[in-house]
Amino acid sequence: MKNLTYLFSAVILLVVLTTIGCKKDDDPGLSEEEQQLEALAGTWVATTVNDGVQDRQDYDGFTLTINKELTYSTAAGPDLLPMPEAGAFVFGANVKSSIVIDPTDANIPATYSIASDGSTLTISFTYTGSGFENTRTNSVNGSWTFNFAKQ
């Protein structure tokens, strides 16, 4: 009987220790949007830019800098851009593949993809607006595809 009491006490102690040791994980990790921002954030250098008709040679050295605050800026591009030089963006319905560039003004829906190793980014959108300051509309209208390498 004494051995049974010791065994029963040991089982209860084991159950209590197991329950205490299995605490709930309070940190659920990064949200899907935060994961995508981690992957997108940084400076990207254009490797090819196509306006739907031809590869554009006037984008040599063009960079896109994406910040974790859902903002972006561009540098070293031509005077004629199919999007504002800087502004905000938001994620679209599918966080892993869609964004809206400058949602309050230009409101340009775009798709994007990031290589699994995070080294390349592709952004595609169609621009058919009236143009931005210092742009000629017929020079920026089209189905644009920007391919970038992470700097």
Side-chain angles (χ1 to χ4, degrees), residues 84 88 90 99-110 126-127 132:
V90 295
I99 57 173
V100 178
I101 300 168
D102 197 30
T104 56
D105 292 322
N107 196 34
I108 303 168
T126 299
Y127 182 74
F132 298 98

Side-chain angles (χ1 to χ4, degrees), residues 59-75:
Y59 281 83
D60 289 342
F62 179 71
T63 62
L64 170 69
T65 300
I66 299 175
N67 302 303
K68 292 181 183 177
E69 295 79 28
L70 294 171
T71 60
Y72 73 92
S73 61
T74 62

Side-chain angles (χ1 to χ4, degrees), residues 32-51:
E32 192 173 52
E33 185 174 299
E34 290 168 328
Q35 290 174 20
Q36 290 305 110
L37 276 173
E38 286 286 328
L40 286 167
T43 300
W44 299 87
V45 179
T47 54
T48 61
V49 177
N50 187 289
D51 62 8

Side-chain angles (χ1 to χ4, degrees), residues 16-149:
V16 169
L17 290 175
T18 303
T19 304
I20 291 172
C22 294
K23 69 177 185 173
K24 202 174 195 181
D25 188 8
D26 292 335
D27 183 14
L30 296 175
S31 70
E32 192 173 52
E33 185 174 299
E34 290 168 328
Q35 290 174 20
Q36 290 305 110
L37 276 173
E38 286 286 328
L40 286 167
T43 300
W44 299 87
V45 179
T47 54
T48 61
V49 177
N50 187 289
D51 62 8
V53 176
Q54 63 184 349
D55 284 347
R56 300 284 298 254
Q57 302 307 312
D58 52 347
Y59 281 83
D60 289 342
F62 179 71
T63 62
L64 170 69
T65 300
I66 299 175
N67 302 303
K68 292 181 183 177
E69 295 79 28
L70 294 171
T71 60
Y72 73 92
S73 61
T74 62
D79 291 336
L80 307 173
L81 294 175
M83 61 186 180
E85 289 179 312
F89 70 94
V90 295
F91 287 103
N94 185 342
V95 172
K96 290 185 174 185
S97 66
S98 67
I99 57 173
V100 178
I101 300 168
D102 197 30
T104 56
D105 292 322
N107 196 34
I108 303 168
T111 59
Y112 75 94
S113 63
I114 303 170
S116 59
D117 66 358
S119 65
T120 61
L121 167 67
T122 299
I123 300 176
S124 300
F125 59 89
T126 299
Y127 182 74
T128 57
S130 59
F132 298 98
E133 186 175 323
N134 297 326
T135 64
R136 295 185 308 263
T137 303
N138 62 351
S139 295
V140 294
N141 281 337
S143 297
W144 290 83
T145 300
F146 288 78
N147 293 301
F148 296 97

